[in-house]
Amino acid sequence: MSAVVNRPLEADGRTRVRLSELVALRARVAKAALPRLESRAMRAGQQSSRLYGRGMDYAESRVYQPGDDVRRLDWRLTARSGRLHTKLFQEEREGRLLILLDTHESMRFGTRVRFKSVQAARVAAIAAWYAVRAGERVGLMEFGGGDRLLRPQSGPRGALAVCGALAEWDGADARAPGEQLSDALQRASRLMHGANRVLLISDGLSCDEAAHGRLLDLSRKAGVRVLVVADALELSMPAPGRYPLEHEGERREVVLFGERQRREFQQLLGAGQARLNELAQRLGMSHRTMDTASDPVDAVMALLAPGVRR
């Protein structure tokens, strides 16, 4: 068994994202049962999703944000709290899903079947096909390896655009030295383009202390789901043995025989996914962990289903 973290040339679907595989996932999603989205009314030709807009039914109030309609200010809550608050109303219209994709170099690692980066791209593609099938627009934002953004688009063309971006971004050289999760969340909060749902896909290694507040702030604007992609070595203590590793063409061997040594190795590798899972748990967000060998279709669709809490 080997863990490889260099950047190969072939788009083989194991170490590099293969566009044809992402496009083919459309058929898998099309065959799966589609949970009914929460709505009060249906419009012809589109499936409605619940979000906060300018409808007739009051939903809740939140802290005023730049760009909010001043005619929607909640003056009673503003007077009580001393901070401007805006009333939110439930409206049935086209929903928008923004996928936040971790492209740090740490994602280019894997000991079972495929790299975390490839599994993350498969998850994102499934989420995109699911969203457009449910009548939502879908967009994509990367963090850690660059700052590229694909604005939400509707229909199969929107999902195809996401698949194309996933393959293109995976094949490009990283344009950034890395980005803390808190910074990425702050950037996403500014560049949501009306998204009412957010799916964060990451291995958690960039999760910092400030991410708690930023993730909480983001959740006030949209429903946030978290999917942690992890390698088998990050999830459980490895069996005794010798583990060859390769990074940027340089091969090393890690010798793990003692129980304490193997436990500490697993804890070191798995620190990121443990932090992100704990953060999502603390904030009461829907979250799942997926290894690199699993089939993500059912898990992703269940995570994005309305009303899911864990």
Side-chain angles (χ1 to χ4, degrees), residues 172-215:
D173 292 332
R175 296 187 291 117
E179 184 177 16
Q180 295 290 345
L181 180 58
S182 60
D183 294 331
L185 293 170
Q186 185 178 41
R187 184 159 54 90
S189 187
R190 297 195 310 265
L191 303 173
M192 292 177 65
H193 293 287
N196 63 299
R197 299 213 291 167
V198 174
L199 174 63
L200 170 62
I201 306 171
S202 173
D203 64 1
L205 284 174
S206 62
C207 186
D208 56 332
E209 288 187 12
H212 179 279
R214 299 280 168 78
L215 196 56

Side-chain angles (χ1 to χ4, degrees), residues 74-143:
D74 187 334
W75 293 110
R76 290 185 179 180
L77 184 54
T78 296
R80 290 200 305 268
S81 66
R83 299 179 65 189
L84 285 174
H85 280 73
T86 302
K87 288 182 177 180
L88 301 178
F89 295 84
Q90 184 173 297
E91 179 188 16
E92 297 301 328
R93 64 175 175 84
E94 188 178 44
R96 298 189 180 198
L97 172 69
L98 178 64
I99 301 169
L100 304 186
L101 181 70
D102 190 339
T103 57
H104 280 91
E105 282 296 311
S106 64
M107 297 291 287
R108 297 184 182 274
F109 176 86
T111 63
R112 298 287 194 280
V113 183
R114 57 182 64 88
F115 277 5
K116 291 185 290 183
S117 56
V118 175
Q119 183 73 316
R122 296 172 78 228
V123 167
I126 292 166
W129 288 120
Y130 173 88
V132 299
R133 185 184 171 198
E136 294 180 297
R137 289 176 175 263
V138 61
L140 179 69
M141 190 193 97
E142 70 165 333
F143 67 96

Side-chain angles (χ1 to χ4, degrees), residues 53-54 62-75 78 84-89:
R54 295 183 178 180
R62 62 158 165 74
V63 175
Y64 174 85
Q65 297 167 5
D68 285 350
D69 189 340
V70 294
R71 294 172 297 179
R72 302 288 180 175
L73 289 177
D74 187 334
W75 293 110
T78 296
L84 285 174
H85 280 73
T86 302
K87 288 182 177 180
L88 301 178
F89 295 84

Side-chain angles (χ1 to χ4, degrees), residues 58 91 175 217 261 265 278 296 298:
Y58 171 77
E91 179 188 16
R175 296 187 291 117
D217 290 342
Q261 184 183 36
F265 182 76
E278 192 275 333
D298 291 339

Side-chain angles (χ1 to χ4, degrees), residues 291-305:
D291 63 35
T292 58
S294 298
D295 182 352
V297 173
D298 291 339
V300 173
M301 292 181 65
L303 180 65
L304 291 178

